[in-house]
Amino acid sequence: GAGWANTVLFHDDLRTMFAAFFKRQDTFALGVCNGCQMMSLLGDVIPDAGHWPRFLRNQSEQFEARFSTVEILESDSVLLRGMAGARIPVAVAHGEGRVAFGDRGDMEQLQQAGRIAARFVDNRGFAATSYPANPNGSPEGLTALTAAGGRVTIMMPHPERVFRTVQLSWRPPAWNAHEFSPWLKMFENARDFALRG
């Protein structure tokens, strides 16, 4: 992720192109896993992303690949619109997903601005603060953020891997009657945003 980000940040023409893209009101972007790491480092060119963290090596010191549960929080993310409050199983596959803020107050500022979009939760629905429910050691289970008026969303887990119910190793029995998992809503939101423009 850092290599991708540096390719943009240290190449004037690319930096200008990316900055113009992120400023446009008719565009959106989703960064997942390595894309999340990359985009977290592009805070200088993404509007309202100045307090975003970096994503560092997992506290467990190993690659984590499993299902975890996330809770979608109230935010202005156009991709997560209508999903706040949902607790959904999701695929996790990363070695460097631990959130690390540059300044002590960054997380509070993001919380106050409504830019924290999702967090890992335990089996009781509380913010996952310990392993293994929190696979990487991020504070308060934080795992997704948004910026640019909700048009840019970054997240560490992989919703694109579990948008069909058969892709879930566990699911509530009621979901068996449906082809798609609740994650499909994120991609429907993307389609709706694109068609609106």
Side-chain angles (χ1 to χ4, degrees):
W4 291 348
N6 287 338
T7 299
V8 174
L9 294 173
F10 298 119
H11 188 284
D12 290 340
D13 290 342
L14 275 177
R15 185 184 180 109
T16 300
M17 289 167 51
F18 270 72
F21 174 85
F22 289 125
K23 285 179 186 171
R24 287 176 39 194
Q25 298 299 305
D26 62 340
T27 62
F28 70 90
L30 171 64
V32 172
C33 200
N34 289 346
C36 174
Q37 294 167 346
M38 172 204 172
M39 290 171 65
S40 74
L41 297 172
L42 295 180
D44 290 344
V45 298
I46 300 173
D48 307 320
H51 296 284
W52 273 4
R54 295 188 66 192
F55 290 83
L56 305 180
R57 186 154 178 79
N58 295 338
Q59 203 166 40
S60 66
E61 291 290 326
Q62 63 186 8
F63 185 85
E64 300 290 342
R66 70 163 94 71
F67 266 13
S68 292
T69 302
V70 297
E71 178 182 25
I72 308 300
L73 303 175
E74 191 66 49
S75 75
D76 57 1
S77 171
V78 299
L79 298 178
L80 300 175
R81 187 167 287 146
M83 297 176 69
R87 293 184 187 132
I88 317 170
V90 68
V92 171
H94 59 256
E96 297 174 334
R98 181 175 50 88
V99 165
F101 288 100
D103 293 319
R104 210 172 196 170
D106 284 347
M107 185 168 170
E108 290 173 17
Q109 290 198 23
L110 290 168
Q111 286 172 322
Q112 291 171 358
R115 294 201 184 113
I116 296 180
R119 64 184 179 180
F120 291 109
V121 292
D122 63 20
N123 61 346
R124 287 181 250 138
F126 296 114
T129 57
S130 61
Y131 185 85
N134 180 332
N136 50 42
S138 293
E140 296 183 35
L142 189 154
T143 193
L145 300 129
T146 187
R151 294 179 296 101
V152 178
T153 301
I154 60 172
M155 61 177 55
M156 201 33 67
H158 289 270
E160 80 284 0
R161 294 184 183 181
V162 288
F163 68 93
R164 297 185 64 220
T165 53
V166 296
Q167 295 170 306
L168 296 164
S169 61
W170 178 89
R171 57 195 172 269
W175 291 9
N176 290 330
H178 304 284
E179 180 179 356
F180 297 106
S181 83
W183 285 114
L184 184 67
K185 173 74 172 158
M186 189 174 86
F187 301 101
E188 291 174 338
N189 285 339
R191 178 202 60 204
D192 293 347
F193 182 86
L195 292 176
R196 192 183 71 194

